[in-house]
Amino acid sequence: MLKLVTGYLYVISDQFFIDVNDPYLVKNHPGGLRPYYLAIYDSSTDLYWMIPLSSKVDKYKRYYRKTFYKWTNSSRSDAKEILSKFMLGMKIVHYADRESVLLFQDMFPVSRDYIVRYYLINHGPFTFDEYETQTIVNQAREVISLLKNGFKFVSTQPDINRLEKILLDRKLK
């Protein structure tokens, strides 16, 4: 059985996307096992929260700048609070000598039986260093709390409460 470790990158089976049927999940590419997802273990549910890793850095930098500009120029009294929440939605990281983006805004829960394999670099599983992993875990926990309480980063984010219910109900059977 595959040993799952918080902070490692993994591949998720196509069956997961079929079983939960959420149109907003970042799905595997046809013919290949991508994208990769960073796993964060949730001991309270025995599920893993998967954070998609995207190579579309320029796209998300533009989105970040646009969102930052929108909320820093807003006249709303809660604009700074909203902006601070939005800024948690993504994080630019470096791995395997390239820049990528962790999409916390699109994270979702999954049970271990849907996780297929590690993402390998030089014949071993890829992970960030301990400090970076802890920073990512802390940010993920903040985002999970926001998502569970209905905060919308984008209109196309997965329905994580529905997904979590499906997975927990399935465990009870």
Side-chain angles (χ1 to χ4, degrees), residues 149-168:
N149 287 301
F151 186 79
K152 292 291 260 184
F153 287 92
V154 292
S155 61
T156 57
Q157 71 191 38
D159 183 347
I160 57 101
N161 291 319
R162 184 183 75 82
L163 296 175
E164 186 176 53
K165 183 177 180 342
I166 289 169
L167 294 165
L168 292 175

Side-chain angles (χ1 to χ4, degrees), residues 2 11-12 28 35 48 51 61 63 72-74 81 83 103 116 121 127 135 147-148 166:
L2 184 66
V11 175
I12 298 173
N28 289 338
Y48 288 82
I51 307 167
K61 281 182 177 179
Y63 172 78
T72 54
N73 292 301
S74 174
E81 180 185 348
L83 177 62
L103 300 173
V116 177
I121 292 181
T127 187
T135 301
L147 292 171
K148 284 187 173 188
I166 289 169

Side-chain angles (χ1 to χ4, degrees), residues 28-80:
N28 289 338
H29 296 264
L33 294 173
R34 288 189 25 233
Y36 306 114
Y37 302 89
L38 186 128
I40 307 288
Y41 181 65
D42 181 353
S43 60
S44 69
T45 60
D46 195 32
L47 297 175
Y48 288 82
W49 285 85
M50 306 306 281
I51 307 167
L53 183 71
S54 174
S55 60
K56 297 177 182 175
V57 176
D58 290 337
K59 171 185 173 180
Y60 290 104
K61 281 182 177 179
R62 283 191 305 276
Y63 172 78
Y64 187 94
R65 282 191 297 272
K66 181 180 168 187
T67 302
F68 184 82
Y69 180 80
K70 172 186 172 182
W71 288 105
T72 54
N73 292 301
S74 174
S75 60
R76 286 180 52 159
S77 61
D78 61 348
K80 285 185 180 179

